[in-house]
Amino acid sequence: MASVQNGQVTLGNYLLERLIQLGVKQAFGVPGDFNMPFLDLIEDHPNIGYVGCCNELNAGYAADGYARVTGKVGAVITTFGVGELSATNAIAGAHSERVQVVHIVGVPSTVLQGHQAVLHHTLGDAKFDAFLHIAQHITAATATLFHAETAAAEIDQCLAAMLLKARPCYITIPTDLVNVEISAKSLETPLRPTIDHPSKEPTEAFLVNRIAHLFETAKKPVVLIDACSLRFHVVDIAQKLIEKTGVTFFTSPMGKAALNESHPNFGGIYIGDISMPAVKEAFETADFILAIGTMKSDFNSGSFTWRMPGERTVELHSDHVVFQYGRFEGVTFQTILPLLVEQVTPLKESQKVAVHPWPKYLGTPTGPITQEGLWPLTSTFFKENDIVFAETGTSAFGVLETKLPKGAIFGAQILWGSIGWAGGSILGAAVAAEESVVPRRTILFMGDGSWQLTIQELSTMARYKVKPIIFLLNNDGYTIERFIHGPNRHYNDIQAWKWTSLLDVFGAAEDSYATHQVKTFEELSALMKEPSFAAADKIQFVEIFIGKMDAPRALKLQASLTAKVNA
């Protein structure tokens, strides 16, 4: 710990050391006068860096993407009031989708707060806790530091709550406390998520016995892997369960690529009525379903058309288990799954479910690019360990039916669904890719409407020399919205941009990027086969022209269901 001397550390460096212990190597943010003293510490620290973004919303998105790819924690740093409110949407999205992001807010000094001074960036009413009330609704915990002697404990409690609940946390640091020295003793004790409930060993033993029995006696058992399996790091133990039993497993949209989609036991992505017919049939005829970490949102469940009846379903969660029609609080998949792996036995061949999880396509597509042919073609471009992010809309629904290779990471904001998320998030993903111990390409699929919200971070990518491959789907507006409502309404139209000129406008060095425009499958296929393009050694920006009312199969079905629910 480079910043600790004689057992003392500044309060600001105490927080930085905790972030470093949690795996944070880069933080994202925008400077403002109330956070600059803290930014000084980051800039001077040898073990953590800072990525300056174009606005706080994008910085929050970047921290979200960084956390998803590293599987650890993201950090965003804003100034009081104007800065933190700009980032609020990103923090709300991370809360919704269970992503660990630390939101650090530089606030006015304790002296000014104590005197209730009317300051810039405030509401002019001397209420310095106004924005805290917002943060309390969209974080696991908050810490408003005001006294140096209690700051370390408050920071630790806040971060521990984030780890326990897999949701963001919010920490404010007054300008006059950043460089106050405090004891560094607590840094010797690693942070641990604290579980408040008492031991549930008898309940756990009962549940493990019953679940193992269901595996043994079911004619066609299956497993469903969802987002919280990723967020709470139980994917590895879930894979051990699958390998030992030989059970067929499915994922949800939010759980896509949690496990290898080339695995012989992979049954496909289950989205209720939106699923591929073969996938739907195989899943819904199973007589025992073990669901791990489910999030039953509309876009994740095909507008609530998941069919998992209580009498044949067991749900494992981070803080409870639903066993058929009973709910057991305080029992977690972290404890249940290892015990279950020990107890289960391999399935008989007759118990295994056979299913073809992907659409069947005939031949190589030719002519103008269509959604139907685009996604199977992109699947030929992916490599092991690729990071693939897709924007809510045609891109996310298209990638759902695209087979990702071993080790791939998939990112999409399927629950919160804030358009533009992927543009900021891919920055964080690309920064995280640079830290990876295995080579990883960063690939983005995003529509023209969404990119207009967060396109500024393209300049940040050029500035920090990350090298994503960006596929812009130019379909002339908000296609997903057109399918939900108002296909010919002007509010779903956008201004056409000269997309391939933007990197030049943003000042990127001429040798740091390449741009392409493709209108046919022949052109796109040739580009994907070009070694210099696939190498991802510079920013590659590809504008794909596609029909305004062309959309993936799954999106059309989801939009129809959404329109009915909205009505």
Side-chain angles (χ1 to χ4, degrees):
M1 292 180 286
S3 56
V4 177
Q5 295 182 354
N6 301 319
Q8 295 289 107
V9 63
T10 65
L11 192 161
N13 274 317
Y14 183 95
L15 176 54
L16 288 182
E17 292 297 340
R18 280 304 195 197
L19 293 181
I20 292 165
Q21 290 176 1
L22 294 177
V24 177
K25 295 182 180 179
Q26 297 286 339
F28 303 85
V30 176
D33 56 339
F34 295 132
N35 71 5
M36 287 177 178
F38 185 68
L39 293 181
D40 287 344
L41 297 183
I42 296 179
E43 192 161 307
D44 295 340
H45 202 291
N47 298 323
I48 189 169
Y50 171 76
V51 176
C53 298
C54 295
N55 62 55
E56 292 88 356
L57 174 61
N58 291 345
Y61 287 156
D64 180 318
Y66 181 91
R68 290 178 191 241
V69 171
T70 62
K72 297 175 183 176
V73 175
V76 57
I77 303 160
T78 69
T79 196
F80 177 71
V82 294
E84 62 181 300
L85 287 182
S86 180
T88 295
N89 182 37
I91 301 302
H95 178 84
S96 174
E97 302 224 341
R98 309 298 290 259
V99 181
Q100 297 176 156
V101 174
V102 185
H103 185 188
I104 301 166
V105 182
V107 301
S109 71
T110 58
V111 175
L112 289 172
Q113 290 188 55
H115 284 99
Q116 296 185 310
V118 178
L119 302 174
H120 64 287
H121 297 343
T122 73
L123 298 174
D125 56 7
K127 292 181 180 179
F128 290 95
D129 62 351
F131 313 119
L132 167 66
H133 296 304
I134 297 173
Q136 288 171 336
H137 291 282
I138 56 173
T139 59
T142 62
T144 51
L145 308 182
F146 204 81
H147 302 287
E149 58 270 23
T150 60
E154 292 176 272
I155 289 170
D156 288 358
Q157 290 169 6
C158 193
L159 294 175
M162 173 191 67
L163 298 176
L164 175 64
K165 298 179 181 179
R167 296 193 192 273
C169 69
Y170 170 94
I171 300 173
T172 66
I173 304 184
T175 54
D176 59 337
L177 293 189
V178 171
N179 292 304
V180 171
E181 289 196 343
I182 62 173
S183 171
K185 182 67 176 176
S186 297
L187 292 174
E188 298 173 8
T189 305
L191 285 174
R192 295 278 185 265
T194 54
I195 300 176
D196 298 328
H197 54 74
S199 172
K200 299 281 185 177
E201 289 184 13
T203 305
E204 290 167 357
F206 164 76
L207 289 171
V208 169
N209 287 333
R210 294 301 301 154
I211 296 169
H213 176 71
L214 289 171
F215 261 112
E216 293 170 4
T217 57
K219 294 180 180 179
K220 296 291 183 183
V222 298
V223 169
L224 177 66
I225 305 292
D226 205 349
C228 283
S229 302
L230 287 163
R231 305 297 190 259
F232 288 91
H233 311 294
V234 296
V235 170
D236 288 347
I237 192 66
Q239 181 163 351
K240 290 180 180 178
L241 176 69
I242 291 163
E243 298 294 349
K244 185 173 182 181
T245 61
V247 68
T248 299
F249 70 94
F250 299 76
T251 63
S252 70
M254 293 180 72
K256 180 176 173 61
L259 293 172
N260 181 11
E261 294 185 342
S262 298
H263 194 287
N265 293 27
F266 181 57
I269 298 176
Y270 180 62
I271 331 174
D273 287 350
I274 295 174
S275 309
M276 292 298 301
V279 173
K280 184 177 187 299
E281 169 73 13
F283 187 90
E284 294 181 359
T285 55
D287 58 343
F288 172 56
I289 301 165
L290 181 66
I292 305 175
T294 51
M295 297 182 72
K296 298 178 181 178
S297 69
D298 54 354
F299 277 23
N300 202 38
S301 66
S303 282
F304 314 112
T305 59
W306 272 359
R307 287 176 179 83
M308 296 192 292
E311 66 271 12
R312 53 190 173 98
T313 302
V314 173
E315 297 179 28
L316 306 183
H317 294 276
S318 63
D319 55 4
H320 72 280
V321 168
V322 178
F323 184 88
Q324 297 175 332
Y325 293 105
R327 183 181 174 101
F328 297 83
E329 298 290 346
V331 184
T332 76
F333 46 31
Q334 287 100 331
T335 53
I336 288 285
L337 281 172
L339 297 171
L340 188 59
V341 169
E342 291 180 9
Q343 192 156 330
V344 291
T345 57
L347 299 179
K348 303 180 182 70
E349 284 299 318
S350 62
Q351 292 177 286
K352 297 179 182 180
V353 178
V355 56
H356 189 284
W358 304 110
K360 294 181 180 179
Y361 297 99
L362 300 175
T364 302
T366 59
I369 295 172
T370 63
Q371 295 278 354
E372 183 181 16
L374 173 62
W375 303 108
L377 178 58
T378 60
S379 69
T380 66
F381 176 69
F382 297 139
K383 297 179 180 179
E384 287 191 7
N385 302 314
D386 277 349
I387 298 165
V388 181
F389 273 37
E391 178 64 25
T392 299
T394 58
S395 301
F397 282 93
V399 175
L400 287 182
E401 294 185 358
T402 299
K403 182 179 179 180
L404 295 181
K406 181 180 179 181
I409 295 173
F410 175 65
Q413 203 182 55
I414 289 169
L415 174 51
W416 186 243
S418 180
I419 64 169
W421 167 86
S425 190
I426 200 67
L427 167 63
V431 170
E434 297 286 319
E435 300 173 7
S436 176
V437 295
V438 297
R440 289 187 181 276
R441 300 185 305 176
T442 308
I443 303 170
L444 171 66
F445 295 93
M446 193 165 182
D448 52 349
S450 296
W451 245 130
Q452 289 196 0
L453 276 77
T454 48
I455 192 64
Q456 305 98 313
E457 296 318 314
L458 193 59
S459 69
T460 310
M461 297 173 208
R463 177 184 176 193
Y464 287 93
K465 297 180 173 57
V466 293
K467 306 173 184 69
I469 298 173
I470 299 167
F471 292 98
L472 169 83
L473 275 60
N474 187 337
N475 51 14
D476 196 19
Y478 300 122
T479 294
I480 185 173
E481 310 289 19
R482 295 188 200 280
F483 274 93
I484 294 173
H485 187 85
N488 299 310
R489 291 291 184 180
H490 292 307
Y491 50 67
N492 286 325
D493 297 336
I494 62 172
Q495 171 72 7
W497 285 8
K498 295 180 180 179
W499 292 100
T500 53
S501 300
L502 289 178
L503 279 156
D504 181 45
V505 171
F506 289 143
E510 289 185 7
D511 60 352
S512 69
Y513 70 92
T515 61
H516 317 269
Q517 290 181 314
V518 294
K519 296 183 179 181
T520 68
F521 281 117
E522 290 87 348
E523 292 171 344
L524 181 57
S525 180
L527 178 64
M528 288 180 171
K529 292 175 182 177
E530 177 59 45
S532 62
F533 175 78
D537 57 1
K538 62 175 67 176
I539 296 175
Q540 298 282 358
F541 191 99
V542 186
E543 182 177 12
I544 299 176
F545 292 89
I546 200 162
K548 180 187 293 188
M549 290 304 294
D550 190 9
R553 179 200 69 89
L555 184 145
K556 293 177 182 178
L557 293 173
Q558 179 62 66
S560 177
L561 292 172
T562 300
K564 290 178 181 178
V565 171
N566 289 346

